[in-house]
Amino acid sequence: MRVLLTSWGSRGDIEPLAGLAVALQDLGAEAVVCAPPEDDFTALLDRAGVPMVPFGPTVRSIVAKDRPPTMQDAFRLAADLVAARFATLPEAAEGCDALLATGLMPAGARDVADELGIPYMLATFHTFGLPSRHFPPGKRPGKPSSAEETDLKVLWEEDAQRVNALYGEPLNTHRAALGLPPVDDVRGHVHGDRALLAADPLLCPWKDKVDLELIQTGAWILPDTRPLPDDLEAFLDAGEPPVYVGFGSIAAYLSPDVAATAVQAIRAHGRRVLLARGWAGLDAIDDRDDCFVTGEVNQQALFGRVAAALHHGGAGTTTTAARAGVPQVVVPQIADQPFCAARVADLGIGAAHDGPVPTLESLSAALGTALAPETAARAETVAGRIRADGATVAAKFLLDMAGREKPPA
């Protein structure tokens, strides 16, 4: 059995696929990942022993700029990614028995699977973007909804129209070249009748009843056994546990003084600082020895040795910190991150910063909550409730699906 897994997105979209691929291999199947040609992703998948097929532009070329992507950037990227899927996925899926797609709206993946006659499945790492009867859609490039509109059904219909505007023309152009009829609801077409929710039920509960059947597996975690670098080990051993600060691939959305604000707020609490550079290139603000700057490291090994983790609220980082039992301060920027921040606060395992731009005062207050003894105790309790078998659950489901379903070509 062989499965193609594909995504275009940040590390938080690619690492779970590596975890799922390893779980598939453990069950005796083959897995290949089709992902952006990012050096970080190539190294990640190579470490996991998973073959990779590159497609599309690098993510860093789109998001790691001094400004967020414009609407024109979004429409250009949508067309480019649809074209890249139709160009790359057919060959990558050769000999495969199923295709799973995730990341930024993977328009084109289902169409390739249907053309090849293999089962298709969408996966998501959060509920952001899934039609709901309880919350409105998030922001998406295109014509915005009226500020006065409150009817959720109307708002989600308008969201579907924005998806059509982004992806409809390029998708249907490529479908026509294959002799396939046009799609009039791209969002519904990509979602299908059912999808996998690769998120922990405690961190991301889903009780919504919509047309889409959502199968929640738990988060897809890639085991990481790498040791920490010697100089980082020395810093950790030299004093009390520091506060970790990292914003992953979030770069264009961050305020330029976020590192200085974080360092000052942490020092105000008498704590040492561990800065992760990330794609924003965070760096020390002086030469004091209470601050250490690191590159990409094993967060699974690191988070158990810090006093708190200050981050952007990506689903992967939130899950890793929760599993480690470390209190969190979440400064959300985009997409599902405000939801993750609110969930951390609701569970009592950290603080949700109000808004994306922290000040010294606001961040100091959030750290006060995270560093309180009761928060640490609660974080330790919750850690034991986070599932670790999500990738295996999903792998078994996919293999069962591939064995049962053979859609017509």
Side-chain angles (χ1 to χ4, degrees):
M1 198 75 75
R2 180 178 171 88
V3 181
L4 175 64
L5 313 174
T6 183
S7 178
W8 193 92
S10 68
R11 186 186 180 105
D13 296 295
I14 307 304
E15 185 164 333
L17 289 190
L20 176 58
V22 169
L24 285 164
Q25 292 173 343
D26 289 344
L27 293 173
E30 294 180 62
V32 60
V33 172
C34 192
E38 208 77 55
D39 290 344
D40 297 355
F41 304 162
T42 302
L44 169 70
L45 291 163
D46 183 63
R47 172 166 58 84
V50 177
M52 173 181 165
V53 175
F55 92 102
T58 66
V59 181
R60 197 183 294 249
S61 67
I62 304 297
V63 304
K65 299 179 179 180
D66 57 0
R67 58 163 179 80
T70 64
M71 188 178 300
Q72 290 75 19
D73 292 335
F75 275 83
R76 188 181 308 111
L77 177 64
D80 289 348
L81 290 180
V82 170
R85 291 189 185 97
F86 277 94
T88 307
L89 293 185
E91 182 176 350
E94 185 176 349
C96 287
D97 301 283
L99 190 158
L100 177 139
T102 186
L104 185 66
M105 184 65 66
R110 176 180 179 176
D111 314 87
V112 170
D114 288 349
E115 180 71 9
L116 295 175
I118 60 176
Y120 160 85
M121 177 66 67
L122 175 78
T124 180
F125 306 123
H126 49 73
T127 57
F128 184 83
L130 299 178
S132 169
R133 294 189 174 98
H134 301 293
F135 56 83
K139 293 181 179 179
R140 200 187 297 272
K143 181 182 178 181
S145 297
S146 168
E148 287 74 36
E149 183 61 72
T150 58
D151 187 311
L152 292 180
K153 183 177 181 180
V154 172
L155 291 172
W156 280 107
E157 288 174 350
E158 292 174 347
D159 178 73
Q161 293 169 15
R162 285 189 285 272
V163 175
N164 283 344
L166 277 164
Y167 297 96
E169 182 177 349
L171 178 65
N172 286 325
T173 298
H174 286 279
R175 284 178 61 86
L178 296 176
L180 299 173
V183 169
D184 58 9
D185 175 14
V186 176
R187 190 187 68 193
H189 176 73
V190 171
H191 287 177
D193 296 327
R194 61 181 179 175
L196 298 182
L197 174 56
D200 187 83
L202 185 62
L203 296 175
C204 185
W206 177 256
K207 298 179 181 179
D208 224 326
K209 301 297 182 183
V210 294
D211 294 336
L212 175 68
E213 177 190 1
L214 209 56
I215 302 161
Q216 189 159 21
T217 64
W220 301 344
I221 298 166
L222 175 67
D224 195 343
T225 59
R226 292 175 298 164
L228 297 176
D230 291 343
D231 53 353
L232 175 54
E233 284 277 8
F235 175 76
L236 293 170
D237 291 339
E240 293 298 314
V243 173
Y244 168 91
V245 181
F247 291 91
S249 58
I250 297 294
Y253 299 92
L254 290 176
S255 60
D257 57 352
V258 66
T261 302
V263 170
Q264 292 166 7
I266 294 166
R267 284 173 172 170
H269 283 273
R271 301 282 181 160
R272 301 192 303 154
V273 185
L274 175 57
L275 278 176
R277 290 189 189 90
W279 285 8
L282 302 186
D283 206 351
I285 61 174
D286 53 39
D287 58 0
R288 288 172 54 174
D289 62 5
D290 66 340
C291 181
F292 186 90
V293 181
T294 185
E296 192 276 322
V297 295
N298 180 354
Q299 289 185 338
Q300 295 173 24
L302 175 63
F303 278 3
R305 301 182 62 182
V306 300
L310 192 165
H311 60 92
H312 57 297
T317 306
T318 303
T319 301
T320 302
R323 287 186 71 220
V326 59
Q328 306 180 49
V329 174
V330 182
V331 183
Q333 303 295 309
I334 58 171
D336 63 313
Q337 296 164 17
F339 173 85
C340 290
R343 193 66 189 141
V344 163
D346 290 345
L347 288 169
I349 60 175
H353 185 269
D354 184 14
V357 183
T359 65
L360 178 58
E361 293 75 17
S362 65
L363 201 53
S364 294
L367 282 164
T369 298
L371 294 170
E374 57 268 25
T375 305
R378 176 63 179 163
E380 186 174 350
T381 299
V382 168
R385 299 172 58 190
I386 305 300
R387 294 185 58 169
D389 64 343
T392 300
V393 171
K396 290 178 178 178
F397 178 90
L398 281 174
L399 294 179
D400 181 63
M401 179 188 77
R404 288 186 291 105
E405 301 179 14
K406 294 294 181 182

